[in-house]
Amino acid sequence: MRVARPLGINNQHFIRNPSVNGVSHRFQDILMPRSGLYRAININSRGGPANPASHPKARLELIQPQWTRPRLSSHLARGISDKSLPQKRSRILKFMYRSLMLSGFFFLVSSGLVVAFFIYDASTYREKPTTGDVPVLELALNPRRGGPKNLPIADVLVDDEDCPSKSRKRDKPKLVILGTGWGSVALLKTLNPDDYHVTVVSPVNYFLFTPMLPSATVGTLELRSLVEPIRRILSRISGHFLQATAEEIDFSNKLVEVSHVDTSGEKMHFYLPYDKLVIGVGSVSNPHGVEGLEHCNFLKTIEDARAIKNKILNNLERACLPTTPDEERRRLLSFVICGGGPTGVEFAAEVFDMLNEDLSQHFPKIMRNEISVHLIQSRGHILNTYDETLSKYAEEKFARDQVEVLTNSRVIEVKADKIIFSQKDEKGSVITKELPHGFCLWSTGVSQTELAQRIAASCGESQTNKHALETDTHLRLNGAPLGDVYAIGDCATVQNNVAEHLVTFLRTMAWEKGKDPEKMHLNFQEWRTVAKQIRARFPQAADHLRRLDRLFEQYDKDKSGTLDFGELYELLHQIDSKLTSLPATAQRAHQQGQYLGRKFNKLAKAAPGLRANEVYYGDVDEAVYKAFEYKHLGSLAYVGNAAVFDTGINGLSFSGGLLAVYLWRSVYFAQSVSFRTRILLAMDWSKRALFGRDLMNI
């Protein structure tokens, strides 16, 4: 007989049964609610363990601690079941059981989601007509005429009374936005819904996700995945949309001349009044005075991407014909990209990926050996605005992919079948060369649209930039009435002429001292005050005004302990030379749109107080909100199954293969304008992996 030691847990005791070998059963552990511990005593005539089911002498004894061992009372004894205990399952059976359970759970959840989707889909159909009496104001149907050209003036729009939210905003300040680009959409998504009567005017009724356009030209993405209906974006603020083209702006009467083509093909004009006007009409490609650009393709719009895709596929199909000579085939399969910026580099990478991954599977293999891709760049490196290591990485990647990069080259003329360009050799001498082409993309910077050129001409001497409209740091158009007209995006550039505003900075200080601003001498404390004003007015100059003591000592030429007007002007002029124009990117336009949205919200909130105090003139923008400050969040580019990232933070940059490509996709996936476009992008990338690129002319 074996004696078990007592075991106590929270005043409850357990029986730990000994193992039974052979045919004997394992005794089950029994939880006893009483004090003490029972033990199983197996009595066998041979002295070995006994089976409690076959040996009646097997019994239980209550074991107390060793210092107290009373005999087992008969009424406390508890019998043991004679049923056999369940056997332990094998790991394989457990795994199969859990797998079946998870599969069943997944099936039930998936079935529930499918049923829920069909229920939702059924709820979106309407059998009964939704027509009825719609209130429309008389002025909307018969607008008054006026303005310099005596045109109809759209004071009221036909949908101003469509719903209570629109009718409430009919008397709100009229905000007119020209264009549906990055800046305009960012502004629309930042505005408070109830502050303005918003009208968007654009020839197209969608927003285009321009960074992914190169992928759409070769069938990696579908064009519909890159666009979002502008009316869907406007629905949040109950705004209005007019698919028309802005022609001119009358600043004195606050009227925008708008035109559209009617069903008979005749061009119709009317005026659209505004209280605040935002110009975001984008830009066009810069021709740089090169002749023959009618033989080139551009990449700015959906129509451009569709035309490029059709031309590439047409060249591939013609090259397969038996009547096509070898020389003509090589010309048709020669793709030339003029411009080594992000757009040109990404297009070259997308074209190479399509030719390398899809061409050999669906076209004659001989074509792959005759295809050539050429990239012409006027600078010493492609991606010259990126970190130099990234530029070299992209060039090395293209060299491995047999994409020819022609640096220090300038296009002279583009002909229907060849490109004439000049290139500097290692000795610095210029050599003229020719390159046959079947396709040429022109992507060499931006220039003003026709509307921007007319606006600049109407502003006179206030507009001196030939590539973009000039604004101040509050994004107000130079030459227009203060606080009425703003310009954002590729069509505009922020003017950072700090030195030209020196008299403005000194005027208040000179008035307090009763002196002429141009005859003042500033000590160090007064210089600190002026520097603080400069930072507030020109945020981009803040990085160049960190060590004020060194600047003061450096430009105090006569060592008088003060800065006179000439010395201070020279200091600020040196800062001007270090300031660069903001990049014409989607990132900059997006930040400007968000900035204007927040500023307009502040102005709307401050408007009642300004009216109560009869404040109708002056620099209200500067009093209500700070100046615009661009924050560079980095640049990225796709270089053919690889990507490069320039963070812009202390020279931090990196590049890589497919992992970097997935990161590049993730960034643009997150920046996509809506959940709908994100779903479409994910589906397109999945379709490319499963079925290849779309190689059809539609």
Side-chain angles (χ1 to χ4, degrees):
M1 180 174 64
R2 294 166 50 189
V3 179
R5 293 184 180 180
L7 176 63
I9 301 177
N10 295 333
N11 296 327
Q12 294 180 344
H13 300 275
F14 296 84
I15 290 179
R16 184 170 302 280
N17 301 304
S19 300
V20 181
N21 298 325
V23 297
S24 301
H25 297 280
R26 183 184 298 272
F27 289 175
Q28 186 177 5
D29 291 344
I30 303 175
L31 177 64
M32 304 300 296
R34 304 169 185 265
S35 62
L37 181 68
Y38 287 101
R39 72 173 178 178
I41 303 174
N42 302 333
I43 301 174
N44 195 312
S45 59
R46 298 179 182 178
N51 188 341
S54 58
H55 294 270
K57 294 182 180 182
R59 67 181 185 272
L60 294 176
E61 255 188 32
L62 178 65
I63 303 301
Q64 295 289 345
Q66 293 183 1
W67 56 87
T68 58
R69 289 186 178 178
R71 287 188 177 182
L72 176 64
S73 302
S74 60
H75 67 277
L76 293 177
R78 181 173 297 181
I80 300 177
S81 173
D82 58 353
K83 296 181 179 180
S84 60
L85 297 177
Q87 297 296 325
K88 184 178 180 181
R89 292 191 182 96
S90 66
R91 294 183 178 179
I92 297 178
L93 290 176
K94 284 185 178 181
F95 175 77
M96 293 178 62
Y97 174 76
R98 291 176 180 175
S99 300
L100 290 174
M101 183 178 63
L102 291 176
S103 300
F105 177 75
F106 177 77
F107 176 77
L108 290 176
V109 172
S110 302
S111 301
L113 292 176
V114 171
V115 172
F117 172 77
F118 278 106
I119 293 175
Y120 170 75
D121 181 66
S123 66
T124 60
Y125 296 98
R126 295 181 181 179
E127 296 182 358
K128 296 181 179 180
T130 57
T131 58
D133 293 336
V134 179
V136 179
L137 297 177
E138 180 67 23
L139 278 177
L141 300 177
N142 298 299
R144 66 183 179 91
R145 303 182 73 90
K149 299 181 181 180
N150 194 29
L151 299 175
I153 301 177
D155 295 304
V156 181
L157 301 177
V158 293
D159 55 345
D160 271 341
E161 299 293 330
D162 275 4
C163 60
S165 61
K166 288 187 176 181
S167 60
R168 284 195 305 267
K169 293 192 292 185
R170 190 160 55 87
D171 297 326
K172 295 285 185 178
K174 296 182 182 298
L175 172 60
V176 176
I177 302 173
L178 306 181
T180 56
W182 281 90
S184 302
V185 169
L187 169 59
L188 293 173
K189 300 185 77 170
T190 311
L191 279 177
N192 290 334
D194 299 324
D195 290 341
Y196 293 92
H197 179 280
V198 181
T199 304
V200 176
V201 179
S202 175
V204 296
N205 61 352
Y206 54 81
F207 162 76
L208 174 61
F209 195 84
T210 51
M212 301 299 290
L213 263 182
S215 298
T217 59
V218 296
T220 304
L221 300 177
E222 292 190 16
L223 296 176
R224 70 180 66 188
S225 303
L226 306 182
V227 295
E228 180 72 8
I230 196 65
R231 290 186 181 273
R232 183 174 296 174
I233 299 174
L234 278 168
S235 62
R236 185 187 69 88
I237 57 175
S238 300
H240 310 266
F241 175 74
L242 298 176
Q243 188 167 358
T245 303
E247 299 288 349
E248 292 183 3
I249 300 174
D250 183 2
F251 297 118
S252 58
N253 295 310
K254 292 187 176 183
L255 296 174
V256 179
E257 183 181 346
V258 180
S259 68
H260 69 95
V261 179
D262 62 9
T263 56
S264 62
E266 184 180 355
K267 203 171 186 180
M268 307 293 293
H269 295 256
F270 63 93
Y271 285 127
L272 187 64
Y274 67 86
D275 294 304
K276 289 189 177 298
L277 175 66
V278 178
I279 304 172
V281 294
S283 60
V284 296
S285 296
N286 192 344
H288 292 287
V290 176
E291 298 180 356
L293 293 188
E294 63 271 12
H295 304 298
C296 297
N297 287 83
F298 304 93
L299 191 53
K300 283 284 187 182
T301 64
I302 282 287
E303 290 76 14
D304 293 339
R306 184 180 291 109
I308 290 174
K309 181 181 178 183
N310 289 335
K311 187 166 185 178
I312 291 176
L313 294 177
N314 285 336
N315 285 5
L316 295 177
E317 296 295 348
R318 289 177 183 174
C320 296
L321 298 177
T323 56
T324 303
D326 291 342
E327 184 177 353
E328 177 66 9
R329 181 183 298 109
R330 285 191 291 270
R331 185 191 70 81
L332 289 172
L333 299 179
S334 174
F335 299 90
V336 180
I337 298 97
C338 300
T343 301
V345 168
E346 290 186 349
F347 177 77
E350 291 283 358
V351 169
F352 172 80
D353 289 344
M354 186 266 290
L355 300 176
N356 191 50
E357 297 171 2
D358 296 83
L359 188 70
S360 58
Q361 298 182 12
H362 307 288
F363 287 84
K365 296 189 183 328
I366 191 175
M367 292 176 57
R368 180 62 189 90
N369 297 330
E370 296 183 345
I371 284 177
S372 59
V373 181
H374 314 271
L375 185 63
I376 298 177
Q377 166 70 334
S378 60
R379 304 293 181 89
H381 294 281
I382 60 175
L383 299 177
N384 59 289
T385 58
Y386 289 54
D387 187 82
E388 186 177 356
T389 57
L390 298 181
S391 299
K392 292 182 178 179
Y393 174 85
E395 291 173 358
E396 293 172 357
K397 179 67 169 60
F398 279 166
R400 292 194 301 269
D401 294 341
Q402 297 179 352
V403 175
E404 185 181 17
V405 178
L406 302 170
T407 56
N408 298 317
S409 303
R410 292 185 177 274
V411 177
I412 299 175
E413 183 180 1
V414 180
K415 295 186 177 182
D417 57 347
K418 61 183 177 181
I419 293 178
I420 302 174
F421 67 98
S422 62
Q423 186 179 31
K424 289 184 179 180
D425 58 10
E426 297 178 354
K427 298 180 180 180
S429 58
V430 179
I431 303 174
T432 302
K433 298 181 179 181
E434 293 184 357
L435 184 64
H437 75 87
F439 172 87
C440 179
L441 176 71
W442 187 265
S443 176
T444 58
V446 297
S447 185
Q448 286 182 329
T449 62
E450 293 182 2
L451 174 63
Q453 292 176 6
R454 289 193 291 268
I455 293 174
S458 63
C459 292
E461 298 179 355
S462 301
Q463 296 290 331
T464 58
N465 194 312
K466 296 181 179 180
H467 301 291
L469 296 172
E470 291 180 327
T471 69
D472 63 6
T473 54
H474 284 267
L475 306 185
R476 297 170 296 193
L477 183 68
N478 291 346
L482 194 65
D484 288 348
V485 184
Y486 303 80
I488 58 177
D490 291 355
C491 71
T493 183
V494 179
Q495 192 180 49
N496 287 312
N497 50 349
V498 184
E500 299 299 328
H501 290 76
L502 178 57
V503 175
T504 305
F505 297 136
L506 299 178
R507 185 178 293 118
T508 302
M509 194 177 299
W511 178 80
E512 292 175 352
K513 295 185 177 183
K515 296 182 179 180
D516 185 351
E518 298 186 7
K519 296 181 180 180
M520 284 192 61
H521 291 258
L522 303 183
N523 57 33
F524 182 71
Q525 293 299 327
E526 292 171 336
W527 158 236
R528 291 182 62 182
T529 303
V530 172
K532 184 177 180 180
Q533 296 177 4
I534 295 173
R535 289 194 190 100
R537 184 71 177 271
F538 299 96
Q540 303 302 130
D543 292 338
H544 305 284
L545 292 171
R546 292 181 176 178
R547 295 302 304 268
L548 299 180
D549 52 345
R550 291 184 180 179
L551 290 173
F552 187 87
E553 182 180 357
Q554 179 182 355
Y555 286 91
D556 183 15
K557 301 295 179 64
D558 55 2
K559 305 301 179 182
S560 62
T562 61
L563 293 176
D564 59 24
F565 187 87
E567 293 170 340
L568 190 57
Y569 184 87
E570 184 180 355
L571 189 158
L572 298 184
H573 184 73
Q574 182 65 23
I575 293 177
D576 278 344
S577 64
K578 297 178 180 179
L579 296 178
T580 58
S581 300
L582 299 181
T585 60
Q587 181 183 159
R588 190 253 290 190
H590 183 76
Q591 291 186 26
Q592 289 180 330
Q594 288 183 325
Y595 166 82
L596 277 188
R598 290 191 290 265
K599 175 189 283 189
F600 288 167
N601 294 338
K602 291 279 189 179
L603 290 172
K605 188 176 181 179
L610 296 175
R611 286 195 299 267
N613 292 281
E614 298 183 351
V615 177
Y616 301 105
Y617 303 100
D619 197 347
V620 180
D621 291 64
E622 189 169 358
V624 171
Y625 204 60
K626 61 184 179 180
F628 171 71
E629 181 179 4
Y630 171 70
K631 297 180 180 179
H632 184 61
L633 303 179
S635 303
L636 60 162
Y638 177 76
V639 292
N641 293 334
V644 295
F645 295 82
D646 187 356
T647 63
I649 303 174
N650 298 325
L652 179 62
S653 59
F654 61 95
S655 56
L658 288 178
L659 290 179
V661 172
Y662 291 135
L663 179 59
W664 172 78
R665 288 182 178 180
S666 301
V667 171
Y668 283 142
F669 182 85
Q671 289 181 344
S672 190
V673 71
S674 69
F675 179 73
R676 167 189 164 274
T677 53
R678 293 188 184 99
I679 293 296
L680 293 176
L681 285 175
M683 292 174 61
D684 287 347
W685 284 324
S686 301
K687 288 191 296 183
R688 187 216 66 83
L690 295 174
F691 312 112
R693 291 173 174 84
D694 177 19
L695 302 179
M696 296 181 293
N697 285 335
I698 299 179

